[in-house]
DNA sequence: ATCCTTCTTTGATCCAGATCAATAATGTCA
DNA sequence: TGACATTATTGATCTGGATCAAAGAAGGAT
């Protein structure tokens, strides 16, 4: 019943974009070979973050954007009142830090939820970089545009869905993103805690726990602590599209 | 008590970015004179939208991004179940349509809430355009980044704030955006309905109405149908920053 | 004008999910 | 190995905001 842990453990270090298994998901997606080779020269690879270590914090100067290479990175914003809102969980191949371009300062916090490696795309001289790698410009526009689309979806989830639909949406989104990365869409480990899932979805962790239990009782999923097995994908999909779907 | 209506009526048609009063808020913000002149040659001005007319609809092909010149444009997303979530209200100088770059298709709907004029920045050959106007590239990165920051704030509002804090946040945000545009920050007309405010904030229109009444009873604002007068800005600010603020 | 539709306000009631509480399971470190 | 902190589950109760309802106010069409 328990899925093998290594299916989502990507801690292997890749040396170049060309050889990286993420190339079709990450920044180089759709770029020509020449462009990717030029990109490789710009990108910096840092030593991995340990669980709990920060990639950046609110107030930090903006030095570049980041691509997750392995692991999982949580990004959250702080309200004036000190409350945290998790903005997203970033999987390998996903880009974070884009929201700091305008102010040259990070407003959010990015922290590793497990050992995570990443690449840095220095942004100090972006105009220069995009001149050297013209395809990078369009690529960045597309990545930022996709991020906006994702956030629009999240606004809809937070604004219009009930707790059950939120949790179902969350599970489906995670499942799809794992599938894109070549992992099982039905069997995975939730690295984040119930508390963090609830925070992200605008519900309490008790509610998340209860809905997981309810889904299990109804044969939609099976849950053992952090391991989730989706048993009835169609039922989940029906839940997210609301009553009329 | 009732503010003059024309303070937010910008229906005058401007002919060029150089002469446009919005230049410091809009796409040309911070760009050099030469760049702005080149930009002017690319930008297209269309005849105004009447109230209820659509700038684009979900499924429409992506032809370019839009800058609001006057009026107010509402952007909303549709869920599978047919529910609408308003993503934003766009004021003069603000840019919309950026989320359609990646898929070359609009997923959202943009409709004028009053007579509104706009400019189109054709995006078919963006690489070409940014070669002609290099400053435009950085400008677009910044604008998209700011949009991401705004949406992050909205996620926090939807996910963590109660109804009172949501409405207070909404009023302050509108107030700030009017001030930036040279209008009164204390006296303005809400073009959108209570229904639309509620939809945007993830509460019902009855709740919006009740909270407006409560704020009026407490001397924080005065409301007459669509006209709002902020009487105690500090009280509003205190409300949005939560208990500990 | 008059009708009709839409928007807004306000009251009464209800309920989904929050909060409070207790226990169990798991992980961590000495 | 045991002591302690953290995380997860489940139950009981409470409440903010939803829902249901009604009536007034404003705007639009003819």
């Amino acid at each position: 019943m328990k899925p093998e842990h290594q299916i989502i453990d990507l801690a292997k270090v890749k040396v170049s974009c060309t050889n990286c298994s993420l190339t079709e998901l990450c920044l180089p997606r759709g770029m020509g070979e020449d462009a990717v080779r030029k990109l490789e020269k710009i990108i910096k690879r840092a030593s991995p973050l340990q669980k709990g270590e920060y990639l950046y914090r609110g107030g930090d100067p903006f030095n570049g954007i980041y691509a997750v290479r392995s692991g999982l990175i949580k990004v959250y914003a702080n309200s004036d009142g000190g409350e945290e809102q998790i903005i997203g969980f970033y999987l390998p191949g996903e880009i974070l830090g884009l929201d700091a371009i305008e102010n040259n300062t990070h407003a959010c916090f990015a922290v590793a939820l497990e050992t995570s490696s990443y690449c840095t795309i220095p942004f100090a001289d972006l105009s220069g970089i995009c001149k050297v790698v013209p395809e990078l410009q369009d690529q960045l526009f597309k990545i930022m545009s996709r991020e906006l689309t994702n956030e629009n979806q999240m606004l809809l989830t937070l604004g219009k869905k009930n707790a059950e639909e939120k949790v179902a949406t969350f599970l489906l989104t995670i499942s799809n993103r794992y599938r894109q990365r070549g992992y099982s869409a039905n069997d995975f480990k939730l690295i984040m805690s119930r508390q963090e899932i609830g925070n992200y979805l605008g519900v309490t962790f008790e509610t998340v726990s209860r809905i997981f239990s309810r889904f299990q009782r109804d044969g939609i999923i099976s849950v053992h602590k952090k391991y989730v097995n989706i048993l009835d994908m169609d039922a989940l999909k029906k839940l997210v599209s609301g009553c009329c779907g």
Side-chain angles (χ1 to χ4, degrees), chain A:
Chain A
M1 188 59 70
K2 175 188 296 187
E4 313 92 288
H5 181 226
Q6 64 269 28
I7 61 171
I8 52 170
D9 184 351
L10 287 184
K12 300 226 173 129
V13 173
K14 303 290 179 180
V15 206
S16 70
C17 294
T18 310
N19 297 325
C20 181
S21 63
L22 296 166
T23 204
E24 278 309 308
L25 287 164
C26 192
L27 201 55
R29 177 190 163 94
M31 285 171 61
E33 279 183 35
D34 274 8
V36 176
R37 267 195 295 274
K38 284 176 190 159
L39 187 60
E40 280 171 13
K41 289 180 189 155
I42 293 160
I43 283 180
K44 293 173 185 166
R45 290 171 194 78
S47 55
L49 296 172
Q50 295 306 306
K51 179 177 174 177
E53 288 184 329
Y54 278 77
L55 183 49
Y56 54 79
R57 291 169 197 269
D60 281 356
F62 172 67
N63 296 315
I65 58 175
Y66 303 97
V68 181
R69 198 132 45 85
S70 69
L72 183 66
I73 294 185
K74 169 178 87 170
V75 173
Y76 63 90
N78 258 348
S79 78
D80 298 341
E83 280 176 313
E84 286 178 13
Q85 171 68 44
I86 296 176
I87 301 300
F89 300 102
Y90 290 81
L91 292 180
E94 294 176 332
I95 311 290
L96 59 156
L98 295 162
D99 54 322
I101 293 174
E102 202 225 346
N103 292 115
N104 260 302
T105 307
H106 288 285
C108 292
F109 299 73
V111 61
L113 294 189
E114 58 177 354
T115 306
S116 303
S117 58
Y118 63 95
C119 301
T120 305
I121 301 97
F123 223 75
D125 175 27
L126 183 72
S127 312
I129 294 174
C130 286
K131 258 171 213 145
V132 178
V133 193
E135 285 172 273
L136 185 57
Q137 174 191 268
D138 300 273
Q139 194 64 3
L140 281 170
F141 282 133
K142 281 186 187 169
I143 286 167
M144 295 184 83
S145 176
R146 191 195 318 193
E147 189 78 353
L148 282 171
T149 301
N150 289 344
E151 295 218 7
N152 287 348
Q153 279 305 113
M154 202 59 207
L155 291 179
L156 199 151
T157 296
L158 288 177
K160 293 287 169 289
K161 294 182 183 174
N162 64 27
E164 195 172 76
E165 292 165 340
K166 284 177 179 178
V167 173
T169 301
F170 175 75
L171 288 173
L172 275 183
T173 304
I174 292 283
S175 166
N176 284 330
R177 285 155 77 198
Y178 277 136
R179 185 161 35 69
Q180 285 175 345
R181 281 157 187 78
Y183 311 128
S184 170
N186 298 308
D187 251 338
F188 47 83
K189 181 183 177 184
L190 295 171
I191 308 297
M192 65 292 283
S193 68
R194 303 285 189 271
Q195 174 78 66
E196 287 164 326
I197 296 171
N199 179 302
Y200 179 57
L201 296 173
V203 296
T204 60
F205 66 90
E206 294 99 323
T207 296
V208 174
S209 180
R210 271 183 251 271
I211 289 173
F212 276 0
S213 301
R214 199 190 308 163
F215 284 174
Q216 178 158 253
R217 171 172 58 69
D218 296 347
I220 298 174
I221 64 174
S222 95
V223 232
H224 298 82
K225 53 175 191 165
K226 296 200 171 266
Y227 293 92
V228 173
N229 190 343
I230 299 183
L231 304 171
D232 188 347
M233 189 68 85
D234 288 341
L236 263 192
K237 285 181 184 165
K238 212 172 285 176
L239 279 171
V240 309
S241 55
C243 54
C244 342

